[in-house]
């Protein structure tokens, strides 16, 4: 305030005097708009009735699922991060579908708000005890599955082990996870094999999510033990091109298997085919072909750039604070 313009008495300040400058400022500064939303939404939520909260949550779920938000995946902060951060400050927090939270956390780098909301669901034990099941697909859509997937994506192994050891139904899972925590990969692999054998024989009843745990962790322990021949057989017989490619990279002569590798790359899911590892395989194929034909330098350079771009995109999707998942991306940068 300048001396020529004395301050306005507080009693004469209207709501319009506050809203007008705020509305202009939020259009100028994205981070300011983010802070205003995160501060104001919990205050609004606190003063709503249960019916209004339910109606507002339904509208926000539809908003969060809109595909046009994908244009903001590289923006920081983005709309999804702002909405989820505001939800974290609400008490009680809006109840969102767990798999939607998982998708938003992975896609829009809203990892920690999504983890916070999912962890709160499990700690309150309202969602995990009333897990939603898709009867047609037979897939559990509960908060715990979404939470464990986020832990896996961030390579947060100790959080993953802790969550599963707290919620697993069978002692076989607990024993195998304990071996993993001790880096005793051989015994962990054997424990997962015993659990799957008992389940297939009907000796051990099992849930879909826990059987998926046994399968996925068996693959991980086999990788740790460098048993690539076993993984190659698994990928071949179970039609798992991603595993077959990873094992074949370490065991095949790619100069003789170019056609087979191309077929496997075509068979991978779109989200894997556009990732840095698939780009690395394509780049290496181009290099092998270049050595044979001595005329593909431009293609090789183009594939290298695409691979580095995929690595940068993956890095940008991770949290700003370093996590074990960053190490895998750094490894891909080194390979490229």
């Amino acid at each position: 305030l300048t001396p020529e313009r004395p301050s306005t008495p507080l009693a004469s300040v209207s709501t319009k005097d506050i809203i007008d400058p705020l509305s202009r400022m939020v259009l100028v500064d994205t981070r300011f708009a983010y802070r205003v939303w995160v501060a104001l939404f919990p205050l609004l939520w606190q003063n709503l009735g249960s019916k209004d909260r339910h109606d507002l949550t339904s509208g926000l779920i539809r908003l969060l699922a809109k595909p046009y938000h994908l244009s903001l995946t590289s923006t920081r902060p983005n709309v999804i991060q702002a909405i989820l951060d505001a939800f974290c400050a609400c008490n009680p927090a809006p109840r969102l579908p767990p798999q939607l939270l998982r998708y938003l956390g992975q896609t829009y780098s809203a990892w920690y708000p999504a983890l916070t909301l999912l962890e709160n669901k499990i700690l309150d034990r309202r969602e995990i005890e009333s897990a939603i099941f898709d009867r047609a697909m037979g897939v559990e859509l509960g908060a715990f599955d979404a939470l464990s997937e986020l832990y896996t994506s961030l390579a947060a192994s100790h959080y993953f082990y802790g969550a599963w050891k707290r919620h697993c139904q069978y002692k076989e899972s607990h024993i195998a996870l304990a071996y993993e925590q001790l880096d005793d990969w051989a015994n962990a692999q054997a424990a997962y094999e015993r659990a799957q054998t008992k389940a297939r024989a009907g000796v051990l009843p099992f849930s879909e999510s826990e059987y998926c745990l046994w399968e996925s962790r068996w693959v991980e322990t086999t990788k740790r033990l460098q048993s690539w021949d076993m993984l190659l057989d698994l990928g071949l017989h179970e039609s798992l091109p991603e595993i077959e490619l990873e094992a074949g990279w370490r065991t095949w002569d790619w100069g003789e298997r170019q056609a087979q590798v191309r077929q496997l790359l075509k068979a991978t899911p779109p989200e894997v085919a556009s990732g840095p590892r698939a780009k690395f395989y394509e780049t290496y194929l181009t290099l092998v072909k270049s050595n044979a034909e001595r005329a593909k330098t431009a293609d090789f350079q183009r594939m290298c750039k695409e691979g580095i771009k995929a690595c940068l995109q993956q890095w940008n999707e991770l949290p700003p604070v370093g996590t074990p998942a960053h190490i895998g991306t750094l490894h891909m940068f080194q390979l490229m």
Side-chain angles (χ1 to χ4, degrees):
L1 298 174
T2 61
E4 292 79 12
R5 186 177 179 181
S7 60
T8 305
L10 186 61
S12 63
V13 176
S14 65
T15 304
K16 184 175 183 298
D17 296 329
I18 299 174
I19 297 300
D20 283 351
L22 272 177
S23 62
R24 291 192 293 270
M25 290 174 68
V26 296
L27 295 175
V28 174
D29 189 340
T30 304
R31 293 191 176 276
F32 178 75
Y34 163 82
R35 292 195 298 271
V36 169
W37 169 264
V38 172
L40 290 182
F41 182 83
L43 300 176
L44 169 67
W45 182 262
Q46 185 178 359
N47 289 281
L48 292 178
S50 58
K51 184 180 183 303
D52 292 331
R53 288 180 179 179
H54 178 271
D55 294 341
L56 180 57
T57 301
S58 300
L60 286 169
I61 289 173
R62 290 193 295 272
L63 172 65
L64 290 168
K66 295 293 184 181
Y68 55 71
H69 293 303
L70 289 171
S71 62
L72 301 175
T73 52
S74 60
T75 305
R76 302 290 183 274
N78 55 51
V79 173
I80 304 300
Q81 289 175 334
I83 292 176
L84 294 187
D85 277 334
F87 285 0
C88 290
C90 296
N91 187 22
R95 300 181 69 176
L96 302 180
Q99 291 298 329
L100 176 62
L101 281 172
R102 177 198 59 78
Y103 166 75
L104 296 174
Q106 290 176 324
T107 306
Y108 299 97
S109 192
W111 299 94
Y112 296 125
L115 284 170
T116 299
L117 292 169
L118 288 169
E119 287 169 352
N120 288 338
K121 285 175 181 288
I122 292 177
L123 290 174
D124 290 343
R125 302 199 66 81
R126 290 177 298 177
E127 295 288 336
I128 191 63
E129 291 179 354
S130 58
I132 306 167
F133 288 87
D134 186 332
R135 298 296 180 183
M137 299 294 291
V139 178
E140 186 179 354
L141 302 177
F144 179 71
D145 286 321
L147 180 65
S148 62
E149 285 185 48
L150 286 180
Y151 286 152
T152 302
S153 298
L154 291 176
S157 57
H158 291 294
Y159 286 93
F160 177 86
Y161 296 144
W164 264 107
K165 288 173 76 173
R166 179 175 177 177
H167 293 281
C168 64
Q169 300 179 36
Y170 306 107
K171 66 177 182 180
E172 286 80 4
S173 301
H174 199 286
I175 292 169
L177 291 167
Y179 279 132
E180 277 201 59
Q181 283 187 287
L182 295 171
D183 291 342
D184 190 347
W185 304 109
N187 278 322
Q189 183 192 54
Y192 288 126
E193 288 175 355
R194 286 194 298 271
Q196 292 179 70
T197 301
K198 289 181 180 179
R200 286 193 291 266
V203 177
L204 185 68
F206 60 91
S207 64
E208 185 73 21
S209 60
E210 197 144 350
Y211 194 86
C212 289
L213 169 76
W214 298 337
E215 288 185 326
S216 62
R217 299 314 298 174
W218 181 88
V219 170
E220 179 62 27
T221 55
T222 306
K223 289 179 182 179
R224 297 281 188 158
L225 293 169
Q226 303 287 299
S227 301
W228 300 110
D229 290 336
M230 295 173 64
L231 290 171
L232 197 59
D233 290 339
L234 175 68
L236 180 63
H237 292 102
E238 298 294 332
S239 298
L240 300 171
E242 189 176 357
I243 292 178
E244 192 173 352
L245 278 168
E246 188 172 359
W249 159 247
R250 292 166 170 83
T251 58
W252 288 340
D253 181 348
W254 279 41
E256 299 176 357
R257 302 243 187 180
Q258 294 184 45
Q260 182 179 355
V261 172
R262 288 195 181 89
Q263 289 298 321
L264 289 171
L265 287 170
K266 290 179 181 178
T268 55
E271 62 273 13
V272 176
S274 60
R277 185 165 292 278
K279 295 296 182 185
F280 166 70
Y281 294 147
E282 292 177 12
T283 304
Y284 187 71
L285 268 182
T286 307
L287 180 62
V288 171
K289 190 176 179 181
S290 297
N291 286 337
E293 298 180 2
R294 305 292 182 183
K296 297 293 182 180
T297 304
D299 287 344
F300 175 71
Q301 293 294 334
R302 177 179 58 81
M303 293 304 303
C304 274
K305 290 179 181 179
E306 289 183 8
I308 292 172
K309 181 180 177 181
C311 290
L312 288 170
Q313 184 176 353
Q314 187 180 76
W315 182 273
N316 189 56
E317 291 171 355
L318 292 172
V321 179
T323 67
H326 286 80
I327 298 174
T329 307
L330 288 172
H331 183 213
M332 290 309 305
F333 272 116
Q334 181 66 29
L335 288 175
M336 294 304 299

